[in-house]
Amino acid sequence: MESYDEWTASQMSETVTVDGHGLEMAYRDEGKGDPLVFLHGIPTNSYLWAKITPEFEDEHRVIVPDMVGYGSSDMRDGFDRSIRAQELAVEDLLSELEVESCTFVGHDLGGGVGLRLAAHRPDLVERLVLSNAVAYDSWPVQFVTDMGLPSFPRENDPEEVRETLAETFRNGTHGEADEAFVEGMVAPWNSEEGVVSLSRAASATNTNHTTEIDPSGIEAETLLLWGAEDDFQPVEYAERLEEDVPESELVGLEEAYHWVIEDRPEAYREHLRTFLDG
């Protein structure tokens, strides 16, 4: 697996302006073939997928963005970081990259973006993979809500935020956490700008952005690839999605919490490949 520094180095020349506000969105774009798009959630970044995406670059064009306000993307203050805004930003990115249709893989908030895109742009999202995704009224969770309080950036310096997040990731993985994963998840927030950006992202979480979506109208063939022991986004929400999304299948991975991609990377790759192969 690449280190976080190696991962971000590959993004340095890969940014596009999105959303009509001059926001720079960083991304990786590797391989050739049918487009395969991966989107992270909060409080993560594109490095979440470092153990997954390289395995698919021989057969697919693999696009892995950082949402605006996250990772290597624009973190300056004064713009919307909500799921609605992220949906438009990703749509702009894919338009700039001349992607006409894709398989969209989303985790956490990235899954919420995927739900919205699949509902609003069935021409763009041919297949959909949701992993421990926000859906219906399943979110926001308390620790994210707390980070969105106005007092959060005033009362927490970057080192305190780094330590809090590191413990969240260590406690949220099954077994002993991979420290490279933990470091990659907390690194983008390790500055005053990062702390403010994280707080703005947390305050932008809004359950209305998924409750207004009708999953029964989603046309994309859908795989619900879920960490079955997640307390943040319980598997019951995946079961509800399986009932509502017409062409959907739930695969629950045992010994996996919210960060299912980190807990069960081999099984995750295997099930994703089976889905892609039809």
Side-chain angles (χ1 to χ4, degrees), residues 2-9 45 47 66 71-72 180 183-185 187-188:
E2 295 175 66
S3 69
Y4 178 74
D5 288 342
E6 290 170 332
W7 180 273
T8 55
N45 61 80
Y47 190 64
D66 281 320
S72 298
E183 287 301 307
M185 292 301 95

Side-chain angles (χ1 to χ4, degrees), residues 8-251:
T8 55
S10 70
Q11 295 178 315
M12 291 305 178
S13 62
E14 303 286 5
T15 62
V16 298
T17 303
V18 297
D19 198 334
H21 298 291
L23 299 174
E24 292 296 313
M25 192 171 196
Y27 64 96
R28 282 168 61 101
D29 187 357
E30 303 287 347
K32 294 181 179 179
D34 293 337
L36 184 53
V37 179
F38 292 81
L39 194 65
H40 65 90
I42 187 172
T44 61
N45 61 80
S46 60
Y47 190 64
L48 177 74
W49 304 104
K51 293 181 180 177
I52 306 298
T53 60
E55 299 292 324
F56 295 90
E57 291 169 3
D58 288 342
E59 299 178 12
H60 294 270
R61 181 185 181 187
V62 178
I63 300 167
V64 197
D66 281 320
M67 290 194 292
V68 289
Y70 295 73
S72 298
S73 291
D74 211 328
M75 278 196 179
R76 60 185 167 83
D77 207 3
F79 63 86
D80 187 2
R81 291 159 167 82
S82 70
I83 279 187
R84 282 179 180 164
Q86 303 293 353
E87 174 193 9
L88 297 176
V90 170
E91 199 171 359
D92 284 353
L93 171 69
L94 297 181
S95 177
E96 288 288 332
L97 298 181
E98 300 182 344
V99 173
E100 296 181 355
S101 67
C102 69
T103 297
F104 189 99
V105 185
H107 177 263
D108 190 78
L109 261 67
V113 173
L115 275 170
R116 293 183 61 89
L117 275 175
H120 298 148
R121 290 289 310 275
D123 59 314
L124 181 59
V125 181
E126 181 179 357
R127 289 178 292 190
L128 178 64
V129 181
L130 301 176
S131 294
N132 299 73
V134 300
Y136 307 107
D137 60 349
S138 70
W139 65 299
V141 297
Q142 190 62 49
F143 95 95
V144 172
T145 301
D146 291 344
M147 291 189 297
L149 295 174
S151 59
F152 180 82
R154 294 197 303 268
E155 296 177 356
N156 295 274
D157 63 33
E159 185 58 32
E160 290 172 320
V161 172
R162 178 186 179 88
E163 288 304 314
T164 298
L165 290 177
E167 282 306 301
T168 298
F169 287 112
R170 291 188 185 105
N171 294 334
T173 52
H174 197 281
E176 187 173 353
D178 181 345
E179 284 302 310
F181 164 74
V182 173
E183 287 301 307
M185 292 301 95
V186 303
W189 311 119
N190 196 26
S191 67
E192 290 185 5
E193 181 184 56
V195 172
V196 172
S197 191
L198 175 60
S199 186
R200 298 291 186 264
S203 67
T205 55
N206 186 334
T207 191
N208 291 322
H209 296 174
T210 48
T211 54
E212 68 186 7
I213 298 301
D214 180 6
S216 68
I218 290 176
E219 300 174 10
E221 183 182 356
T222 301
L223 172 64
L224 305 162
L225 189 49
W226 218 270
E229 300 176 38
D230 186 3
D231 290 331
F232 291 151
Q233 300 300 324
V235 72
E236 287 78 14
Y237 283 96
E239 292 168 348
R240 183 175 170 186
L241 283 168
E242 186 181 32
E243 291 181 359
D244 289 348
V245 178
E247 291 190 57
S248 63
E249 178 187 6
L250 170 59
V251 176

